[in-house]
Amino acid sequence: MALAPKFAGQAYSVDVSPKAIHTLELFLDYVCPFSAKMFLALSTHVLPSLPRKYPGKLQLIFRQQIQPWHPSSTLVHESAAAVLRLAPQKFWDYSKILFEHQKEFFDVNVVNETRNQTYERLSKLASEVGVEEKGVYELLEVQDKAGEDGSLNIGNGVTDDLKVMVKVNRLLGVHVTPTVLFNGVVENSISSSFTGEQWQDWLEKNVK
C-alpha cells in the first residue's frame, strides 16, 4: 500500500528506484513486547547492512499499529506521529528509543499519571534523539478547555494523522502485532523471535 508523503519518515529506503523495489511492511506496536523484540533485532543486526547489501532493491515501512487493550499505546504512537511532523529523519531513531524504554509505558507505570504527564515523559525521550522537546509536547498536549464550537473531544495536534494511520491498517485487516507484509502479502514465515542471522538468511532468499 502507498505511503502518504507526510508519513515518509516511516520508510527506511535503500537507494530505491520507483520501477522495481521490494517492500517489507512492519506493523508494530510500541508497547507490544513482541514488536520490541522484532524491531530491536532488525535495528541492531539488519538495518546497518541494508545499504551495502540491497541498494535499490528494498524499502521497509514502519506501520504504526495501535493496540487498544494497551491504553498507553495511543499516547506513545502519538508521540511518534509528532516526531514525524517535526523531524521525520529521526523517526526510526525515536522508534528504537521507544522500544528500549517500552516498559516505562506499560499499564503499571502510567496508571497514576495524567495523559499530559505521560506526554511530558515521551517528549523528553524525543529530545534524546535530537528532536525539540517543547515542539513535541506542544503537538501532544491536550487542553482543558472546550473548542471554539463547544466540543469537548478536541484531541491534539496529531489526532488527524493518527486517524489516517488507523484507517490504513483497518483497511488491510491487520490485527496481531507484529505482522509483516512482503510486497503486500502477509509473510507468516517471519517471526518476532528471528535472530539477526535468520533475518539475513530470509532477506538473501527473498530480495533478488
Side-chain angles (χ1 to χ4, degrees):
M1 178 173 279
L3 191 65
K6 67 179 177 180
F7 300 143
Q10 293 175 334
Y12 190 97
S13 302
V14 186
D15 297 327
V16 299
S17 164
K19 294 182 180 179
I21 181 173
H22 293 287
T23 300
L24 203 59
E25 297 176 74
L26 311 170
F27 291 78
L28 305 173
D29 174 33
Y30 289 117
V31 292
C32 165
F34 301 102
S35 293
K37 192 173 184 179
M38 175 176 283
F39 183 90
L40 292 174
L42 272 170
S43 63
T44 301
H45 303 294
V46 179
L47 297 188
S49 67
L50 290 185
R52 173 175 52 84
K53 298 185 74 171
Y54 304 103
K57 294 182 178 180
L58 178 68
Q59 72 169 346
L60 276 64
I61 296 177
F62 188 125
R63 297 288 189 186
Q64 295 178 232
Q65 176 77 6
I66 296 168
Q67 299 292 32
W69 48 86
H70 300 309
S72 63
S73 178
T74 296
L75 311 188
V76 181
H77 281 279
E78 284 178 321
S79 73
V83 169
L84 278 174
R85 283 277 198 96
L86 298 172
Q89 74 279 8
K90 297 287 188 178
F91 173 80
W92 286 74
D93 291 337
Y94 182 57
S95 293
K96 184 172 187 282
I97 205 168
L98 284 178
F99 281 122
E100 290 172 340
H101 290 260
Q102 87 170 181
K103 290 184 179 179
E104 297 172 19
F105 301 96
F106 283 1
D107 291 350
V108 170
N109 292 322
V110 299
V111 68
N112 290 319
E113 64 185 13
T114 67
R115 180 174 173 181
N116 282 337
Q117 285 173 332
T118 303
Y119 288 149
E120 287 176 351
R121 292 201 289 128
L122 289 163
S123 300
K124 187 173 182 64
L125 274 183
S127 71
E128 294 185 18
V129 295
V131 184
E132 184 192 16
E133 180 177 346
K134 180 181 178 183
V136 173
Y137 184 72
E138 286 177 351
L139 284 172
L140 297 176
E141 183 184 19
V142 176
Q143 302 296 325
D144 59 0
K145 299 177 182 178
E148 294 182 1
D149 60 354
S151 60
L152 300 178
N153 276 327
I154 56 175
N156 59 25
V158 295
T159 297
D160 289 341
D161 290 349
L162 213 68
K163 287 179 179 178
V164 174
M165 295 177 194
V166 171
K167 286 179 182 178
V168 168
N169 296 5
R170 287 179 178 176
L171 180 63
L172 294 170
V174 173
H175 175 66
V176 176
T177 53
T179 293
V180 178
L181 270 62
F182 184 58
N183 295 332
V185 179
V186 174
E187 183 52 64
N188 289 319
S189 69
I190 294 177
S191 167
S192 61
S193 63
F194 261 25
T195 63
E197 184 178 356
Q198 287 173 308
W199 268 111
Q200 296 291 0
D201 288 344
W202 189 93
L203 290 167
E204 288 173 9
K205 291 175 183 176
N206 292 277
V207 179
K208 306 293 185 182

